[in-house]
Amino acid sequence: MIAVGRIFRIQQELDCVALYFDRFESFSSTQVTSQVGLSYDSRISRLQWTDFAEAIPKLCCKTLADIPLIDDSAYVRELLQHAVMDDLLGPANGPNELIKDMSVRDRYLVGKLAPRETLDEGNDWGNSAVDEAEDVVPDDLEVKAKPAPPTAGKRTKGGEQPKDDEALGKGEPETSDEIDVSKNQSLVPSSFGITFCVDGEAERIEVEARWGRYERIHDHGITKTRKNKNKKTGKEEEIEVKVWQRIPCGGKMVLDLKQGPVSRRSPD
């Protein structure tokens, strides 16, 4: 049995790599790979593309363009689910990915948890997620002063319009103070829960939790060309980009199903 497929996506996990195809066909052939000029020394080998393309018609009497697209609705939905989760939740480039030239919150829109309280307030889980405010707090969380209501039509005793900023409705100047996400529970969730059912005869359950922690790294050597030219030299300059390294976390633990409170435990 021989199968020919085209890889559509590569899903990287901690303990395996899954390959998903968009074109695939298996067939029986009396030919063996060595008879059509293909040879390899292991289960996974890299072949010259021209040799591979010339050998396929000899093996299955079809060209690569004739290999059909996979027409399985359940499989296509699975591919769509993986694509959406990678784009919104991540990690799109594997458990040890690097996010370059953008913040993690801009790359992924869901799945973000903030520490419930800061380390100084007694949090024994650490607070590395808010080490650098410029990379953690979104711009739209900046506190801005509300403008005072306009006073159109209001005149002073002398008949002139008031000229102070407050009277003109400009309000107080904007402030650059930022909200500390670790202290504002209405903006970023700090925990989540799950409800589920088990068989009444079950005596214990195994819980597995996986997540990632992103840390800013500096010694990476990744640069980009600044679009705006240097004002002094008049030339474009290379600047170092911000890079975040994902550190995989998580693990498994067994919980006994018995009456009483559950002690606080961590899978990692």
Side-chain angles (χ1 to χ4, degrees):
M1 181 69 68
I2 297 177
V4 177
R6 184 175 69 177
I7 295 177
F8 178 72
R9 66 174 289 113
I10 300 177
Q11 188 80 22
Q12 299 184 18
E13 304 292 346
L14 284 174
D15 53 355
C16 67
V17 177
L19 304 179
Y20 291 88
F21 299 88
D22 64 345
R23 293 180 180 269
F24 188 86
E25 186 174 21
S26 59
F27 46 86
S28 300
S29 176
T30 57
Q31 297 274 12
V32 294
T33 54
S34 59
Q35 294 175 334
V36 295
L38 298 180
S39 60
Y40 48 89
D41 300 327
S42 61
R43 296 178 59 184
I44 299 178
S45 297
R46 182 181 295 275
L47 304 174
Q48 291 293 334
W49 175 254
T50 53
D51 297 339
F52 175 72
E54 293 173 357
I56 293 303
K58 301 176 183 178
L59 287 172
C60 59
C61 300
K62 289 184 177 181
T63 64
L64 291 174
D66 296 329
I67 302 299
L69 288 169
I70 298 177
D71 188 17
D72 185 334
S73 58
Y75 180 75
V76 173
R77 284 198 300 270
E78 182 180 0
L79 291 179
L80 177 60
Q81 177 183 348
H82 284 306
V84 172
M85 290 183 64
D86 280 353
D87 192 50
L88 298 181
L89 177 64
N93 296 317
N96 298 286
E97 71 174 353
L98 293 177
I99 294 184
K100 308 172 185 177
D101 201 23
M102 66 186 309
S103 65
V104 182
R105 72 170 188 274
D106 292 333
R107 177 61 184 91
Y108 300 121
L109 302 181
V110 300
K112 179 178 62 175
L113 294 180
R116 186 167 181 80
E117 53 187 359
T118 63
L119 185 61
D120 294 337
E121 295 172 342
N123 177 23
D124 56 357
W125 298 96
N127 193 21
S128 60
V130 292
D131 287 339
E132 299 184 42
E134 64 175 5
D135 298 318
V136 176
V137 182
D139 295 334
D140 56 357
L141 297 186
E142 188 178 43
V143 180
K144 297 182 181 295
K146 295 183 179 179
T151 57
K154 182 177 180 181
R155 298 180 178 275
T156 62
K157 293 182 178 180
E160 298 180 356
Q161 288 283 358
K163 297 182 179 181
D164 58 288
D165 289 343
E166 184 177 357
L168 293 177
K170 295 182 180 180
E172 299 178 359
E174 295 182 354
T175 175
S176 60
D177 295 340
E178 295 179 334
I179 295 177
D180 185 352
V181 294
S182 66
K183 297 180 181 178
N184 194 310
Q185 300 306 305
S186 64
L187 298 178
V188 183
S190 59
S191 63
F192 66 91
I194 182 173
T195 301
F196 59 94
C197 298
V198 298
D199 189 280
E201 302 297 326
E203 298 180 353
R204 62 187 60 86
I205 58 173
E206 182 181 68
V207 179
E208 180 177 5
R210 299 289 179 185
W211 67 93
R213 184 180 75 254
Y214 288 85
E215 292 187 357
R216 177 81 177 274
I217 59 175
H218 299 276
D219 298 330
H220 49 74
I222 302 175
T223 61
K224 69 175 182 180
T225 301
R226 185 190 295 269
K227 294 182 180 180
N228 298 328
K229 293 183 178 181
N230 189 302
K231 295 181 180 180
K232 295 181 179 180
T233 63
K235 299 179 180 179
E236 293 183 345
E237 57 182 355
E238 292 289 328
I239 60 173
E240 188 177 82
V241 302
K242 297 178 181 178
V243 177
W244 296 87
Q245 170 72 64
R246 185 181 189 273
I247 301 176
C249 305
K252 299 179 181 180
M253 58 184 180
V254 177
L255 299 178
D256 294 327
L257 299 182
K258 59 183 180 181
Q259 293 291 340
V262 178
S263 61
R264 180 174 179 177
R265 300 169 59 185
S266 174
D268 191 316

